[in-house]
Amino acid sequence: MYAGNVTETKGGYKAMAASAFPFHSNKSNPSHFLSMMASPKEVILGSDILQQMYCHLLCGLRHSNLVDGIRAPYAAGLVRAISLLESKWEHLCHDLEYGCPSLEISDALIRNSVIKVLCGPQPELAMRFLSICKEKDWEGILSKLWPNARYIKCVTTGSMEQYYSKIKYHAGELPVLGGDYFASECCVGINLDISQPPELTRFTMLPTAAYFEFLPYDINKMSDRGEDTVDLSAVEAGKMYELVVTTYRGLYRYRLGDIVKVVGFYNSSPQIEFVTRAPKIPGEILTEGILISAMKTFQEVLRNEAMTEMADFACFLDRELGSMQLKVFVEVREPSIFLQQKKLLEADGVLRKCCSCLEDGFGSIYKLMRAKGEVGPMLLYLVKPGSFDKILQVAIESGAPASQYKPPKIIRNHKIVDLMEVSTFVTVCFDSSDDNIQFMQ
């Protein structure tokens, strides 16, 4: 939980994530929420997400026997915390042993509050966690560190689905429960069977949460079909729609940008699956859904051929050249194969297979435009570990709430593209007829 990012509108109103409201409202008492958390209020209200995340882990480990569940708004946030645990477990054990957080925690309010939570040196606890984290295989480590936890809960559908396998691996026997369908504008639906994996998750719509309209959508043309909207009672099972809402707080016929598929009904309420995000501008050749599907195959090739995992990915359609060009940015966990001189030939073969499977999965519109020459050869950028964390920092600096942050899959911000290109260590220019690979370090 991160509730420190609060901005103010021109009219003088405070703007924040809904989850942060109880900690800033004069009318609500945050004690109820704090009683469910291992971390003190000062950590939740901090302004440095890395320091906050570290302290969340430290406080959670200190009271590991009291932790009943592990929760995060989105799977991406939980995976970032797991990655921090992987890189900082020795520091965390050291802090527990001596009863004081690392000097890297420079925020005085956070530091002092965590010292109180630690309640002095905990050498026995530190040794127990040290023996657990020293194991080579981290499968099920979350259930070992927090033995009394009964579940893990976060949103794992849509663009969050890519993180599900990593969470399941570290969860072990702990069940991973799905979340409900909340948009920033309103609540859309609830998940009546939270035990289902993301690919089987469906949401039952709440007819009174807003006035919902449905704009018929053609996935093959990646656009609405020019038809009128239909209301809740006129949707048909098996068809796709873009959601349009009129909310109690004043939004009128607002397009959420979410494409959903009606898969059935619960009584008279439609049950929907999230499909993808709608294209934001005309002429987009990929949807988020198509990209995620193609990257699943990319991940399998990378795992089988290079014995490494993909940490994150995103793409950008460059329209500034004579022909459009798709740039795909990928962060891998163990990039050593692509940096060692003696493995260049092996890396060359792996990258060719990866690029080939990507282009095969990009859909008919992309392939047609490639054949016509309207889209140039794809560029694949392998970026240094931690590069996608920099995007998070840029988003927070621009006013995005840390707890609600969702890593972009289709980039439209040139500042982020520049950041990714600077962080690149390998660039692949792929053309199915004449592929050329450049290694840049």
Side-chain angles (χ1 to χ4, degrees):
M1 174 65 72
Y2 310 99
N5 194 320
V6 179
T7 58
E8 195 168 293
T9 66
K10 292 180 180 179
Y13 292 98
K14 289 182 179 180
M16 68 194 80
S19 56
F21 180 75
F23 299 96
H24 295 280
S25 172
N26 295 326
K27 296 182 180 180
S28 64
N29 184 357
S31 60
H32 169 67
F33 299 92
L34 289 170
S35 66
M36 299 187 294
M37 300 178 186
S39 302
K41 182 179 179 180
E42 289 79 3
V43 173
I44 296 167
L45 294 175
S47 57
D48 187 312
I49 186 172
L50 290 179
Q51 292 189 37
Q52 291 171 276
M53 195 185 303
Y54 183 92
C55 290
H56 276 315
L57 288 171
L58 186 57
C59 293
L61 289 171
R62 171 61 184 89
H63 293 297
S64 59
N65 61 320
L66 300 178
V67 172
D68 178 62
I70 301 170
R71 303 182 65 142
Y74 295 102
L78 185 55
V79 166
R80 281 196 300 273
I82 293 173
S83 298
L84 186 64
L85 178 63
E86 289 173 329
S87 63
K88 297 286 187 180
W89 61 268
E90 290 177 297
H91 294 79
L92 290 162
C93 291
H94 178 276
D95 294 354
L96 279 172
E97 182 178 1
Y98 291 96
C100 187
S102 165
L103 292 176
E104 294 179 5
I105 309 304
S106 57
D107 187 306
L109 288 175
I110 291 179
R111 187 177 182 82
N112 292 334
S113 67
V114 172
I115 289 174
K116 292 179 181 178
V117 171
L118 294 178
C119 297
Q122 306 293 328
E124 292 182 6
L125 202 58
M127 287 302 296
R128 182 167 78 84
F129 292 139
L130 197 63
S131 64
I132 293 172
C133 294
K134 276 185 175 179
E135 296 177 9
K136 290 184 178 180
D137 188 359
W138 271 37
E139 184 175 4
I141 195 168
L142 298 181
S143 58
K144 297 175 184 177
L145 294 174
W146 290 282
N148 294 325
R150 297 182 297 115
Y151 64 91
I152 295 172
K153 187 172 184 181
C154 56
V155 172
T156 56
T157 49
S159 62
M160 297 295 119
E161 188 175 342
Q162 72 169 104
Y163 307 106
Y164 181 73
S165 60
K166 182 176 176 69
I167 293 173
K168 283 288 290 182
Y169 175 81
H170 288 88
E173 295 181 358
L174 273 178
V176 180
L177 308 180
D180 298 315
Y181 191 164
F182 282 89
S184 301
E185 297 78 11
C186 65
C187 175
V188 177
I190 55 175
N191 184 356
L192 295 178
D193 187 356
I194 57 178
S195 63
Q196 291 288 351
E199 65 271 16
L200 298 177
T201 296
R202 53 179 58 184
F203 303 97
T204 302
M205 296 196 66
L206 297 177
T208 58
Y211 179 70
F212 294 100
E213 296 177 82
F214 299 79
L215 187 62
Y217 185 83
D218 189 333
I219 192 69
N220 295 316
K221 296 181 180 178
M222 293 199 299
S223 64
D224 61 79
R225 302 202 297 254
E227 300 179 23
D228 294 332
T229 59
V230 297
D231 64 15
L232 205 73
S233 62
V235 296
E236 298 179 41
K239 291 190 175 180
M240 294 186 190
Y241 302 90
E242 180 179 353
L243 291 175
V244 182
V245 298
T246 299
T247 69
Y248 293 106
R249 296 193 175 189
L251 291 176
Y252 177 69
R253 305 195 79 187
Y254 182 83
R255 294 172 70 163
L256 291 183
D258 288 355
I259 305 300
V260 299
K261 181 179 180 180
V262 177
V263 293
F265 295 88
Y266 183 84
N267 294 330
S268 58
S269 290
Q271 290 191 308
I272 57 176
E273 290 178 350
F274 180 88
V275 177
T276 186
R277 290 285 294 169
K280 285 194 173 182
I281 55 177
E284 284 197 340
I285 59 177
L286 283 182
T287 64
E288 191 177 84
I290 291 174
L291 176 64
I292 291 172
S293 178
M295 294 307 295
K296 285 181 182 177
T297 310
F298 179 96
Q299 168 72 297
E300 291 174 7
V301 173
L302 200 62
R303 185 184 294 124
N304 295 334
E305 300 289 337
M307 303 302 176
T308 188
E309 296 286 326
M310 177 177 63
D312 220 328
F313 65 88
C315 79
F316 170 72
L317 184 61
D318 193 339
R319 300 169 180 269
E320 295 182 355
L321 304 173
S323 58
M324 292 184 288
Q325 189 168 39
L326 192 66
K327 298 179 177 181
V328 181
F329 301 97
V330 176
E331 180 181 322
V332 293
R333 299 194 186 283
E334 298 293 338
S336 57
I337 183 178
F338 306 110
L339 295 173
Q340 297 176 26
Q341 192 68 29
K342 61 182 179 181
K343 291 188 175 181
L344 287 184
L345 285 177
E346 181 183 347
D348 181 284
V350 171
L351 291 173
R352 290 175 195 274
K353 288 182 180 179
C354 288
C355 290
S356 179
C357 78
L358 268 185
E359 285 216 323
D360 288 343
F362 278 162
S364 57
I365 295 178
Y366 174 85
K367 292 176 183 177
L368 180 62
M369 296 183 74
R370 276 287 288 125
K372 290 181 177 180
E374 296 176 14
V375 177
M378 179 188 72
L379 286 176
L380 173 66
Y381 296 84
L382 296 186
V383 298
K384 299 172 185 175
S387 296
F388 277 82
D389 289 338
K390 296 178 183 177
I391 300 180
L392 168 60
Q393 294 296 337
V394 170
I396 292 173
E397 289 168 7
S398 302
S403 61
Q404 299 296 314
Y405 173 75
K406 298 182 283 292
K409 298 306 167 195
I410 297 180
I411 302 172
R412 296 179 177 88
N413 185 332
H414 283 272
K415 184 178 179 180
I416 294 176
V417 175
D418 294 340
L419 187 64
M420 290 288 100
E421 290 183 345
V422 168
S423 302
T424 299
F425 66 88
V426 172
T427 303
V428 182
C429 180
F430 180 78
D431 191 311
S432 55
S433 60
D434 182 23
D435 47 345
N436 176 42
I437 295 182
Q438 294 178 313
F439 285 82
M440 296 165 50
Q441 299 189 20

